Amino acid sequence: MAKIFNNIEIPIDQDLEEKLQWMVPEHGPYRILRQSVDARRAHSPHFVYSIEVAEKGETLNIPEFNLEKIATPKEKPLIVGTGPAGLFAALRFVERGVPCVLFERGSDSGARMKGINQYWRHGKLDTRNNVCYGEGGAGLYSDGKLITRIKSPHIPYVMNRLVRFGAPAEIQWLSNPHVGSDRIRRVIPKLREFLKANGCEIHFNTQVTEILMEGKQTVGVRTEHGTEFRSPHVILATGHSAEDMINHLNDIGVHLDGKSFAMGLRIEHSQADINKIQYRQFSEHPKLGAANYKLADHDDKTGIGVYSFCMCPGGYVLSAGTEEDGIVCNGMSNYNRNSPFANAAIVVSIDHNKLFGNDVFGGMKLRRQLETQALKSVRAAGGTKELPAQNLLDFLGGTHSKKGPRDLRPGSSPSGAINIRLDEILPSHMTKRIQEGLNKFNRNMKGFVVENAQLYGIESRTSCPVRVTRDNETLQSITHAGLYPAGEGAGYAGGITSAACDGIKIAEKIIEQLQ
């Protein structure tokens, strides 16, 4: 019978198989369940494994997640949005024998990438094909980080299916699983073709402009082309940036709640500096790769937290806006994480009730205000498409040095950067809290605050500031039956994996009704 061994420590210059041979001399096949790096200062860096080992002559029972099909229903569920929630809802439907219809305002991933490159290189924004809109959604297409804090039985299924469509196998066991922007572009088309071949009808360049209702019952959608699609089951998975859909829902009386979220800036260091902080004298060891970090500082008096988010080792800082009058920054990294830079969002928690009270759209208004102010500052400084940036020490000082602002060093952004007073763009309470957090981080990670680090703005799309409130049991809108808010845009997920799991959960709830 197979046995599971946890917390197996392997020094970086040793091999797992050698250790296993010593532990279980006559073992059969084995598989890694979990792998992480422990680089705490009390000892030299080493790998920590959990493995399942079969006895000699046995085989391992590796789950394939074969799903039972149901009788084909008369009505096809409709899914709005091809981010992780929408794609995995569609995948679950077709694997269970349920045909469905999927709508995306942007293009397929090939055409989408052309629009993104035009924006990064020339500043020409395609409002339908950018880092947030288009096939794959925001997080899935821009980076492919799969870290999640949720506990869901659907996580192994999500990882299994991503690997089936071309993601690296190690995402199933690494503690910080990551597909990479370069590889995710190969995964998405394979997933799309599987959906189309198994009963999913996909409409690209087709924005859903109206959710159709009869009283308080959802009956379908209408697209920008005037075409109506009828169904009593509509999954709304439009992502964290679809303000037009949020406004439409408000207009037709769907219940919305203001939601706490986070905003701030993105910090960029030399990856070599982060490696030295985390790995010390082992920083150039070939087995360790690009180091990451996770930092947080909570103020017990105010309840306001500052924390790192979406850390991208060996990555790039991206311009990720969706409107022509604003600037947004984000981060990404390719599979090999071989950029010489490391970046991460440094964001402040925004308590909706304390800051906005009963104004459901207060967070969304603040988001737009900061994004438009960032672009105005760039234009006022003589820029066009560049991201606003500031030397880290200048930001912490509150004012530039007596000799004027420090020069920006060359960075990773394909859009370039221009020197801007980010400490003046943010509201003063946010600037102060980020400054406090950065100084605290430097005490925890000595060397985090250095002159060759710089900040970019504005990191404003960490999550949607509005929640489309749903019933905990039925997963439908609490005011409109048949409308299923899903994923990050509805306020029920915080990343790729959690959004995918949410889409699956909703698909299964609809399948219960169809049966």
Side-chain angles (χ1 to χ4, degrees):
M1 179 178 293
K3 294 181 180 179
I4 293 177
F5 297 88
N6 294 313
N7 298 317
I8 302 173
E9 297 183 359
I10 308 292
I12 54 176
D13 289 320
Q14 293 186 18
D15 185 75
L16 173 61
E17 291 202 13
E18 293 179 5
K19 178 85 169 185
L20 184 57
Q21 187 64 36
W22 176 81
M23 293 172 56
V24 190
E26 296 292 325
H27 69 81
Y30 70 93
R31 65 177 178 130
I32 300 172
L33 303 176
R34 184 82 168 170
Q35 177 188 334
S36 61
V37 177
D38 186 341
R40 289 173 293 181
R41 292 184 179 273
H43 43 63
S44 61
H46 59 267
F47 296 103
V48 181
Y49 290 92
S50 291
I51 59 173
E52 182 181 15
V53 184
E55 294 182 1
K56 190 173 183 179
E58 289 187 337
T59 58
L60 289 173
N61 184 20
I62 299 175
E64 291 295 330
F65 304 99
N66 296 317
L67 302 174
E68 181 182 354
K69 293 184 181 295
I70 69 168
T72 303
K74 294 180 181 179
E75 301 145 336
K76 295 180 179 180
L78 309 179
I79 307 168
V80 186
T82 62
L87 287 174
F88 272 87
L91 179 61
R92 195 65 163 205
F93 278 136
V94 300
E95 289 198 319
R96 297 275 263 132
V98 179
C100 57
V101 186
L102 192 56
F103 302 92
E104 170 56 52
R105 74 169 73 198
S107 303
D108 63 45
S109 55
R112 180 187 182 190
M113 195 60 217
K114 293 178 182 177
I116 292 172
N117 284 332
Q118 283 291 313
Y119 181 47
W120 289 345
R121 294 175 183 175
H122 307 295
K124 184 178 179 181
L125 177 68
D126 183 338
T127 57
R128 288 173 177 261
N129 293 295
N130 45 62
V131 174
C132 291
Y133 296 148
E135 183 185 27
L140 188 62
Y141 195 74
S142 68
D143 195 33
K145 281 188 289 294
L146 304 174
I147 304 164
T148 183
R149 291 176 293 177
I150 68 165
K151 304 295 182 183
S152 170
H154 299 308
I155 292 175
Y157 168 86
V158 171
M159 302 300 183
N160 177 276
R161 292 307 190 255
L162 287 172
V163 171
R164 179 176 294 185
F165 293 117
E170 66 261 26
I171 66 171
Q172 298 175 103
W173 62 75
L174 289 179
S175 60
N176 292 299
H178 170 256
V179 180
S181 295
D182 49 347
R183 295 205 177 187
I184 202 70
R185 296 172 204 162
R186 305 174 211 165
V187 172
I188 292 174
K190 292 179 182 178
L191 173 54
R192 177 213 313 149
E193 293 308 312
F194 179 87
L195 293 175
K196 290 169 65 176
N198 288 274
C200 181
E201 179 183 332
I202 305 179
H203 297 267
F204 290 114
N205 303 302
T206 304
Q207 183 174 351
V208 169
T209 54
E210 186 176 350
I211 307 297
L212 301 177
M213 298 289 177
E214 291 181 359
K216 297 293 186 178
Q217 173 63 52
T218 305
V219 296
V221 303
R222 181 180 289 118
T223 73
E224 61 183 319
H225 309 305
T227 308
E228 291 187 4
F229 294 79
R230 311 290 284 194
S231 174
H233 307 289
V234 175
I235 298 178
L236 193 65
T238 49
H240 57 43
S241 294
E243 293 185 18
D244 46 11
M245 178 54 72
I246 295 293
N247 289 327
H248 168 62
L249 296 177
N250 186 57
D251 290 341
I252 64 175
V254 174
H255 184 87
L256 307 172
D257 283 314
K259 173 178 154 293
S260 296
F261 63 112
M263 287 195 299
L265 305 171
R266 185 161 285 267
I267 192 167
E268 182 175 68
H269 292 84
S270 158
Q271 181 64 56
D273 287 347
I274 298 300
N275 289 349
K276 288 175 183 176
I277 294 172
Q278 298 293 70
Y279 297 147
R280 306 172 299 285
Q281 69 268 32
F282 305 94
S283 63
E284 296 184 6
H285 196 288
K287 282 190 178 181
L288 291 175
N292 59 23
Y293 59 81
K294 183 178 179 181
L295 297 165
D297 175 41
H298 183 78
D299 188 324
D300 293 332
K301 292 182 180 179
T302 64
I304 299 174
V306 179
Y307 58 94
S308 62
F309 174 80
C310 185
M311 197 272 151
C312 301
Y316 303 85
V317 178
L318 307 179
S319 188
T322 56
E323 284 81 31
E324 294 180 351
D325 63 349
I327 278 184
V328 180
C329 70
N330 193 13
M332 61 154 270
S333 52
N334 288 326
Y335 174 70
N336 287 327
R337 290 175 162 169
N338 52 6
S339 160
F341 300 100
N343 69 77
I346 304 296
V347 293
V348 181
S349 58
I350 307 292
D351 188 304
H352 176 87
N353 291 331
K354 288 182 180 179
L355 284 180
F356 311 117
N358 294 325
D359 185 358
V360 171
F361 292 92
M364 198 166 282
K365 292 173 186 174
L366 177 61
R367 185 170 83 174
R368 293 290 299 129
Q369 174 191 331
L370 295 183
E371 292 172 5
T372 55
Q373 180 59 42
L375 180 58
K376 288 178 182 177
S377 298
V378 169
R379 298 272 170 84
T384 53
K385 64 181 178 60
E386 299 86 354
L387 285 174
Q390 185 179 18
N391 178 273
L392 175 58
L393 298 188
D394 284 348
F395 178 84
L396 289 173
T399 57
H400 292 309
S401 64
K402 294 180 181 179
K403 296 181 181 179
R406 294 173 174 83
D407 292 335
L408 297 177
R409 58 153 176 74
S412 66
S413 173
S415 302
I418 189 167
N419 216 330
I420 299 293
R421 290 289 301 271
L422 294 175
D423 56 307
E424 293 183 345
I425 291 179
L426 293 178
S428 58
H429 66 92
M430 289 179 63
T431 294
K432 180 182 178 183
R433 193 67 191 88
I434 291 176
Q435 290 170 339
E436 292 171 348
L438 288 168
N439 284 318
K440 178 67 177 296
F441 297 162
N442 191 54
R443 291 194 289 272
N444 295 336
M445 271 182 72
K446 193 169 182 179
F448 192 79
V449 172
V450 287
E451 187 171 8
N452 70 342
Q454 58 197 30
L455 294 159
Y456 296 83
I458 296 294
E459 184 81 22
S460 53
R461 303 290 179 94
T462 60
S463 65
C464 187
V466 175
R467 173 174 282 120
V468 187
T469 317
R470 72 189 188 195
D471 182 82
N472 290 335
E473 177 60 31
T474 68
L475 306 184
Q476 300 175 62
S477 161
I478 61 173
T479 54
H480 291 70
L483 180 64
Y484 295 82
E488 284 200 31
Y492 291 96
I496 295 168
T497 304
S498 59
C501 290
D502 199 52
I504 294 166
K505 183 167 66 173
I506 289 174
E508 285 293 343
K509 185 63 69 173
I510 293 173
I511 289 168
E512 284 180 20
Q513 297 185 38
L514 295 175
Q515 287 179 300

